[in-house]
Amino acid sequence: MKATAKAHTNIALIKYWGKRDESLILPMNNNLSLTLDGFYTTTSVEFREDLTSDSFYLNEKAVSGKEFDRVTTFLDLIRSFAGRPNFFADVRSTNHVPTAAGFASSASGFAALAAAATESLGHDISEQELSMLTRQGSGSACRSIYGGFVEWEKGTQSDGSDSYAVQVAPEDHWDIRVAAVVLSSNTKKILSREGMKRTVETSAFYSSWVDSIPDDLEQIKQGIKDKDFEKVGRIAEANCLKMHATTLAANPPFTYWNDRTVAVMDAVRNLRENGVPAYFTIDAGPNVKVLYLPENEETIKNALRDVPGVNDVIVSRSGQGITYL
Ligand code: 2P0
């Protein structure tokens, strides 16, 4: 049976940074994100008895090499989970995640793939099980199963059976927005997988990062519940800065920022000094995402577009979880 699913990407407000198990993809720390309606992947999967191998098309082009291997390895997991080890699949994905905006398409990509693949096999699966499976494709993808604010529980079991995402507040709880600031040049030199591994293994600041998480999470969840924008923004921005500080203390040290990243951070601080509430967050690349409230949308867009080196500003609202088309 052919099945199609749509998943949105998400932005972490409390970052996932470091694994306690690299093959099962188990994180060192609980983390929390907002699912975004502006960026998504739709994927169709058809498992068929007559196929002798998998095929994967992304934006209508056949994919091979490492990217293809990552998809078939993930399909192996789903085949074995569903008790259908000998079924192969035709996979067709369309990404609506502009690479230039600095969002990893792996989050929406693996979430949509997991949902469509399990549906195609006719396998009845809970959202919790789906999140757990998705996690093993890409960690941050397990949060994209749900809409709104989502926490990924790190769990304590060595087999990963208690490491999955849970919804903290649905997408209609609060109209908080995110502007993705597209910079003029942004080669990502160190992949997040490699960057977090190096940081866990060598950064003098890594244990402080992990120790600081429970308090950040408790406070941000209270802020989300109370719709306290300044509290949520302040904690998210500080959490981002702490994550990036761990990379500066790694060996060899590295940073994801460039001069344009720092210029956008300054612009956000200037907005705040002028009475416009706005906070930034940055992932494993130079692009900046800015949190703001709907009434300030025009001011935020204009101020960010005026920063030298900024090519575009793409705005997004809180988005929904997995949907089947
Ligand atoms: C996050 N990032 O919480 C953090 C913040 C990057 C910085 O999740 O190795 O692509 O597939 O589990 O999920 C990026 O890492 O890594 C990420 P894997 P993933 O969004």
Side-chain angles (χ1 to χ4, degrees), residues 308-325:
V310 170
N311 269 5
D312 199 5
V313 176
I314 309 171
V315 302
S316 204
R317 298 175 185 221
S318 182
Q320 57 184 162
I322 286 287
T323 49
Y324 295 90
L325 306 175

Side-chain angles (χ1 to χ4, degrees), residues 270-320:
N270 279 338
L271 277 160
R272 281 209 296 272
E273 276 164 23
N274 290 313
V276 182
Y279 295 87
F280 61 78
T281 188
I282 304 158
D283 285 332
N287 291 68
V288 183
K289 317 294 178 323
V290 180
L291 299 169
Y292 64 94
L293 290 170
E295 59 265 32
N296 297 315
E297 185 150 289
E298 283 313 306
T299 313
I300 297 279
K301 280 203 294 201
N302 292 335
L304 295 174
R305 282 189 177 131
D306 282 348
V307 180
V310 170
N311 269 5
D312 199 5
V313 176
I314 309 171
V315 302
S316 204
R317 298 175 185 221
S318 182
Q320 57 184 162

Side-chain angles (χ1 to χ4, degrees), residues 105-313:
S105 52
S106 64
S108 54
F110 278 98
L113 178 62
T118 47
E119 180 82 357
S120 167
L121 285 170
H123 197 75
D124 205 12
I125 186 171
S126 67
E127 284 190 318
Q128 185 174 305
E129 286 173 310
L130 184 59
S131 176
M132 223 172 330
L133 268 180
T134 304
R135 186 199 79 222
Q136 294 171 74
S138 185
S140 54
C142 79
R143 300 185 304 231
S144 280
I145 300 304
Y146 299 97
F149 293 93
V150 182
E151 181 174 1
W152 173 11
E153 313 262 6
K154 67 184 168 75
T156 55
Q157 302 295 321
S158 56
D159 64 357
S161 56
D162 58 352
S163 183
Y164 44 78
V166 292
Q167 190 177 56
V168 170
E171 56 273 25
D172 58 0
H173 166 68
W174 187 18
D175 188 5
I176 185 171
R177 304 212 181 153
V178 175
V181 185
V182 181
L183 303 177
S184 49
S185 130
N186 53 18
T187 42
K188 182 168 162 179
K189 293 194 190 77
I190 298 175
L191 295 173
S192 52
R193 212 164 254 205
E194 185 193 330
M196 63 174 94
K197 183 171 174 358
R198 189 191 300 176
T199 307
V200 172
E201 287 169 359
T202 67
S203 177
F205 298 166
Y206 192 73
S207 60
S208 310
W209 156 258
V210 173
D211 291 346
S212 77
I213 298 292
D215 190 46
D216 281 3
L217 267 170
E218 190 187 321
Q219 288 204 54
I220 206 164
K221 285 197 279 189
Q222 190 60 48
I224 292 165
K225 193 166 173 236
D226 299 341
K227 302 182 193 174
D228 181 341
F229 182 73
E230 302 213 349
K231 184 170 190 170
V232 169
R234 191 169 29 81
I235 295 162
E237 189 175 292
N239 184 269
C240 152
L241 290 170
K242 278 190 285 193
M243 177 203 123
H244 288 269
T246 67
T247 73
L248 297 177
N251 185 15
F254 64 104
T255 181
Y256 289 108
W257 302 353
N258 62 31
D259 55 336
R260 291 166 299 267
T261 312
V262 176
V264 177
M265 291 158 74
D266 274 342
V268 172
R269 292 190 187 104
N270 279 338
L271 277 160
R272 281 209 296 272
E273 276 164 23
N274 290 313
V276 182
Y279 295 87
F280 61 78
T281 188
I282 304 158
D283 285 332
N287 291 68
V288 183
K289 317 294 178 323
V290 180
L291 299 169
Y292 64 94
L293 290 170
E295 59 265 32
N296 297 315
E297 185 150 289
E298 283 313 306
T299 313
I300 297 279
K301 280 203 294 201
N302 292 335
L304 295 174
R305 282 189 177 131
D306 282 348
V307 180
V310 170
N311 269 5
D312 199 5
V313 176

